[in-house]
Every structure is written in C-alpha cells, then in structure tokens.
Amino acid sequence: MKIQGSIALVTGANRGLGLAFAKALLDAGASKVYAGARDPSTVTLPGVIPIKLDVTNAQDVAAAAITCADVDIVINNAGITSPTPLLDKQDGAAALRRLLETNLHGIHAMSQAFAPVLKANGGGALVNMLSALSWLSLGTTGAYSVSKAAAWALTNSLRNELRAQGTQVLAVHAGYIDTDMVSHLDAPKSSPADIAGRTMQALAAGELEVLADDTARRVKGGFGATPSAYLATA
C-alpha cells in the first residue's frame, strides 16, 4: 500500500497509539488523515480532520463512511480493556460484552461500512490493531484476550473476503504499549511511535501481519515450544 498521497482514517485517534498512527501517516506523506474520536474536540493534532466516531454507535459508523468516502486506508485502533475476571459473578459477563462490543464488533462494523469505500477507491488497506494477547491470557487479561483472539479470527476472515477487491488486510500484534491503557502496569512497554512506525513499514511493504515488537515475536515464536506459550502462561 502506498502511503504517500493516501487518505486515511484512524479510530481512537485522539491519544495514545491512535495519535501515534495519525502522526506516522502524516510523516509518511498521507495527503489527508481523518482522526476519529468519541469527542472530536479532544483531537488536537495539527493537520488532521477530527470526526465524531464511536465504533460501537451504528449511526456514527454510517456517518463516517459518508464523510470519509475518499479514504483508502482504515486503521481500526480503538479498543478498551478491563481487569474484571471472566468468572466474576457480578460483572464478568457484562465486562466481556463491553470489550467484545468495541474490540470485536467495532472492528466488524467499521470493516463492513468501509469495505465498499475501499473497493471504490481502488482496494486500499484495512489495518486492525490486535495484540500478543490475541494468543495467550495472563492473570488479569481474560476478557481482553478473548476479545483480541476473536478480533484476530475476524481479521483473518476479512482478509479472505476482501482479497478479491484488492484490499490489503494487515494484522498488527504487539505487547504492552506505553499508553494510558496500561499506565498502571510495571512491565516493559514499547513506545506508540515505534509500533506506529513498524506498522507503516509493513503497510508499505504489502505485509499481511506484523509482529511489531519483541513481545509479539516471542509469544508467537513460543507456539512451537512444549508446552506452547498459551498453555504455559498462568
């Protein structure tokens, strides 16, 4: 996918990794970048076009597909997490539904709405921000891991359905990234700029999957171990 001169939309672009994606697109020569956020007034990056976009709101998604009918790159970055255990009797089920609504159904809604747009504009690219936790679960990541595993399967299925229209579907996997989402964790974290930069490289190279940091590479590499990484993790 040629980024120079492209027109892109990033969801959750007001901060963290979404903001880094928007910056990286501009730096790579994108001619226009739409920055989606639930509250567009929180988008302050010069050079982008803020739009109101809650990926769980069908009206917002439909309106974005009209407003951004010129895009040829869509980056599904918006995501949420929760430490609530899956078997928590009070909130376990509700927390899982909340995460699936954004992390899975939000990607699906955006992909469904923008697939015709990408086709009309020559194929373009769909980039889905996933996680190393698509492949394993830690003590406090049960619901998040479920949502990201489902989003990984969705991404692989979308790639099959969009292949005929020439749309590149890029899955991005990374470990902890230094954003507000994991600010409470004392663990190694990649910088948002590094993840965004590696994603731009993969996008430009026509790749279908990028293991954007050492954590993602180590986790996927551990699939061949005995026991596999996802079995060995408590």
Side-chain angles (χ1 to χ4, degrees), residues 120 135 165:
W135 301 318
Q165 71 176 45

Side-chain angles (χ1 to χ4, degrees), residues 169-183:
V169 178
L170 174 62
V172 183
H173 294 275
Y176 291 132
I177 304 170
D178 192 10
T179 65
D180 291 345
M181 181 181 286
V182 294
S183 61

Side-chain angles (χ1 to χ4, degrees), residues 90-133:
Q90 288 188 316
D91 198 39
L96 178 59
R97 289 191 185 96
R98 286 195 300 271
L99 266 63
L100 288 170
E101 189 64 26
T102 296
N103 298 352
L104 175 67
H105 297 295
I107 290 177
H108 179 242
M110 287 291 296
S111 302
Q112 192 173 48
F114 278 90
V117 173
L118 295 175
K119 181 179 181 180
N121 294 330
L126 182 71
V127 180
N128 290 344
M129 187 61 213
L130 304 176
S131 174
L133 292 171

Side-chain angles (χ1 to χ4, degrees), residues 46-78:
V48 301
I49 301 171
I51 65 165
K52 182 181 183 300
L53 180 54
D54 177 348
V55 298
T56 68
N57 184 301
Q59 288 74 32
D60 279 8
V61 173
I66 294 171
T67 300
C68 308
D70 53 351
V71 300
D72 45 21
I73 298 174
V74 174
I75 299 184
N76 285 313
N77 163 76

Side-chain angles (χ1 to χ4, degrees), residues 9-23 33-38 42-45 48-49 53 75 77-78:
L9 165 63
V10 182
T11 68
N14 56 325
R15 60 187 177 135
L17 183 58
L19 175 60
F21 277 135
K23 288 179 178 177
V33 177
Y34 295 100
R38 289 177 176 173
T42 60
V43 176
T44 58
L45 177 64
V48 301
I49 301 171
L53 180 54
I75 299 184
N77 163 76

